[in-house]
Amino acid sequence: MSRLHQSRIADFQEVLGEPTVALTKLRELCFSGIPFDGGLRCLCWKILLNYLPLEKALWSSLLKKQRDLYSQFLKEMIIQPGIAKANLGVSREDVTLEDHPLNPNPDSRWNTYFKDNEVLLQIDKDVRRLYPDMAFFQRPTDYPCLLILDPQNEFETLRRRVEQTTLKSQTVARNRSGVTNVSSGSPLKSTPSSLSEYEVLPNGCEAHWEVVERILFIYAKLNPGIAYVQGMNEIVGPLYYTFATDPNSEWKEHAEADTFFCFTNLMAEIRDNFIKSLDDSQCGITYKMEKVYSTLKEKDVELYLKLQEQNIKPQFFAFRWLTLLLSQEFLLPDVIRIWDSLFADDKRFDFLLLVCCAMLTLIRDQLLEGDFTLNMRLLQDYPISDVHLILKKAKELQDSK
């Protein structure tokens, strides 16, 4: 370990060792990257995302309270519906029961259950694809959720719920006259069998992607106004990965609950990007995309005019960059490094606009020479992988204001 690295760790430990953390000092340190050692990053992110207060004495009671609250959410939103379904008998839905699956009453519990399934299937599709080049999300977690995986229970878990819903939709096809034919042979070819793509872990185990699925499902249930929008999986992935690989096992064990609350806080700041009706308002994504171009115009008018002239609109690339906080443009360790700086930004994501600008100016020569097709390819598959270079450039842009 280099002497510089050691002294940086010491700087972090000093700030975090105070009874009240000096936020400005901590932000400055985090902005230049947080060492992974000793769980420093996990702790700093929890403070920067307003999950942990600055007074250290409050930490343990707050964590206990929030983690208990999360268990409560699991009981109400996953375990209760699962038990209700098990008690009703999955095989024989008794039509004399007042609340049977065909009950048209909108308050019917079944109605909610089927609506939730639509959201769940979308989440399921997205989380299974998280960081496909890394084995991490397919691997079993060291801390499976005992509440849910208790071998005594007969209730339906999210995974079983997805499997049953998918199997039903695969084997039942309606033709135009409304006759339902159940194919006895293989499921319909049109539905890719996502279930067989991954090995199924033995009973009592669960993969990391299943934990992420649960976090997103509970978020969707608690935030019906926005529910789940594709892309949220890319925001929760790096958070969960960081907490679930924490060297401190006491924190690692609670990665699920802690990720849930940090994700909720982060979404409170960026959720407007995911809400279509706000696209053109001051807080919406269109405004932010325009801001990337107006900042570029200030910093590099020649490049700005070139992109304008080729009619390369910011929505073609900046939409994804901004909405997903660059999580799709770089490898996971690099995304995490970028997020150190983004979370440390006290103006909350103003720095992200500068990072986007830096990304454009760093490939300016190629962009100035390229035609529309070439430039679109450059922007949608960004060629530079050195994020330190990008962050350094963004910092220069910030200082040159």
Side-chain angles (χ1 to χ4, degrees), residues 286-303:
T286 309
Y287 176 76
K288 290 178 186 138
M289 290 190 295
E290 295 300 339
K291 196 109 168 60
V292 171
Y293 266 22
S294 58
T295 312
L296 179 67
K297 191 177 174 181
E298 275 169 43
K299 308 287 181 190
D300 189 339
V301 73
E302 188 187 356
L303 180 56

Side-chain angles (χ1 to χ4, degrees), residues 14-67:
E14 188 186 333
V15 172
L16 294 166
E18 295 292 324
T20 301
V21 176
L23 187 58
T24 314
K25 229 184 208 161
L26 183 70
R27 281 190 194 283
E28 266 170 44
L29 283 174
C30 294
F31 187 79
S32 313
I34 309 169
F36 174 74
D37 314 68
L40 284 175
R41 175 174 279 128
C42 307
L43 180 54
C44 291
W45 278 17
K46 286 174 179 131
I47 296 169
L48 295 174
L49 292 170
N50 304 316
Y51 178 45
L52 285 179
L54 299 175
E55 292 77 33
K56 253 171 97 171
L58 303 173
W59 286 0
S60 59
S61 63
L62 176 119
L63 288 170
K64 182 177 179 344
K65 190 177 116 231
Q66 295 300 86
R67 290 162 180 174

Side-chain angles (χ1 to χ4, degrees), residues 12 71 84 101 208 219 245 257 281 294 308 345 354 357 365 378 383:
F12 274 92
S71 295
H208 288 294
Y219 178 83
T245 53
S281 68
S294 58
Q308 287 289 61
D345 173 18
L354 293 168
C357 255
D365 295 349
L378 279 172

Side-chain angles (χ1 to χ4, degrees), residues 33 112 224 265 383:
T112 315
N265 290 358

